[in-house]
């Protein structure tokens, strides 16, 4: 299976379990590996036959802007479900990083793999 990659997608959202975190927007960074068969799109040079990464990025930006979560884990699960449901993605790997969340680390986060099956 081929993969459409989106790396280093930066989104602003309300995320965190501490009271102060619920009052500010914080940056999350996402890496996505979206499994699909690119051959039909490549054959006809047809965007409608593949995953439109610009549309996916915009949808994720809208989602992050409109929703708040306590845990990065919850954000990751909901984003994976959104991608599977709205874009018909059969399988994906998603990494979500929260830069600056721990002073001694560049970023903390989670990596999940989900499938429609």
């Amino acid at each position: 299976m081929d993969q459409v990659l989106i790396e280093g997608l930066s989104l602003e959202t309300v995320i965190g379990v501490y009271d102060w975190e619920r009052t500010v927007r914080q940056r999350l960074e996402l890496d996505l590996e979206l499994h699909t068969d690119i051959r039909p799109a490549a054959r006809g040079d047809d965007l409608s036959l593949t995953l439109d990464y610009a549309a996916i990025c915009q949808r994720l930006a809208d989602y992050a802007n409109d929703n708040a979560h306590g845990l990065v884990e919850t954000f990751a699960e909901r984003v994976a479900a959104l991608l599977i449901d709205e874009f018909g993605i059969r399988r994906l790997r998603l990494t979500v990083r929260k830069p600056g969340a721990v002073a001694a680390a560049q970023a903390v986060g989670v990596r999940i793999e989900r499938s429609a099956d």
Side-chain angles (χ1 to χ4, degrees):
M1 187 62 60
D2 307 311
Q3 296 176 17
V4 170
L5 303 175
I6 300 172
E7 298 178 338
L9 178 62
S10 183
L11 304 173
E12 297 282 326
T13 192
V14 174
I15 190 152
V17 296
Y18 300 110
D19 289 341
W20 70 267
E21 290 181 297
R22 309 303 289 164
T23 64
V24 299
R25 299 182 72 71
Q26 297 183 70
R27 184 168 53 99
L28 295 178
E29 295 177 355
L30 282 64
D31 293 330
L32 299 104
E33 298 174 19
L34 310 171
H35 296 252
T36 190
D37 184 354
I38 67 167
R39 290 175 292 187
R43 242 185 318 275
D45 204 23
D46 187 345
L47 176 62
S48 71
L49 299 176
T50 191
L51 298 174
D52 182 343
Y53 50 79
I56 291 169
C57 290
Q58 184 60 58
R59 180 64 179 102
L60 294 179
D62 292 343
Y63 178 82
N65 187 59
D66 296 342
N67 293 277
H69 300 85
L71 300 175
V72 171
E73 292 85 344
T74 305
F75 179 86
E77 286 291 338
R78 303 249 170 97
V79 163
L82 179 153
L83 292 169
I84 289 168
D85 292 344
E86 293 186 20
F87 291 92
I89 295 167
R90 304 296 303 156
R91 186 167 156 249
L92 64 89
R93 176 182 290 167
L94 168 65
T95 302
V96 179
R97 291 180 189 85
K98 188 176 177 184
V102 174
Q106 184 177 352
V108 297
V110 298
R111 178 174 294 129
I112 64 172
E113 294 185 33
R114 298 294 179 265
S115 63
D117 304 322

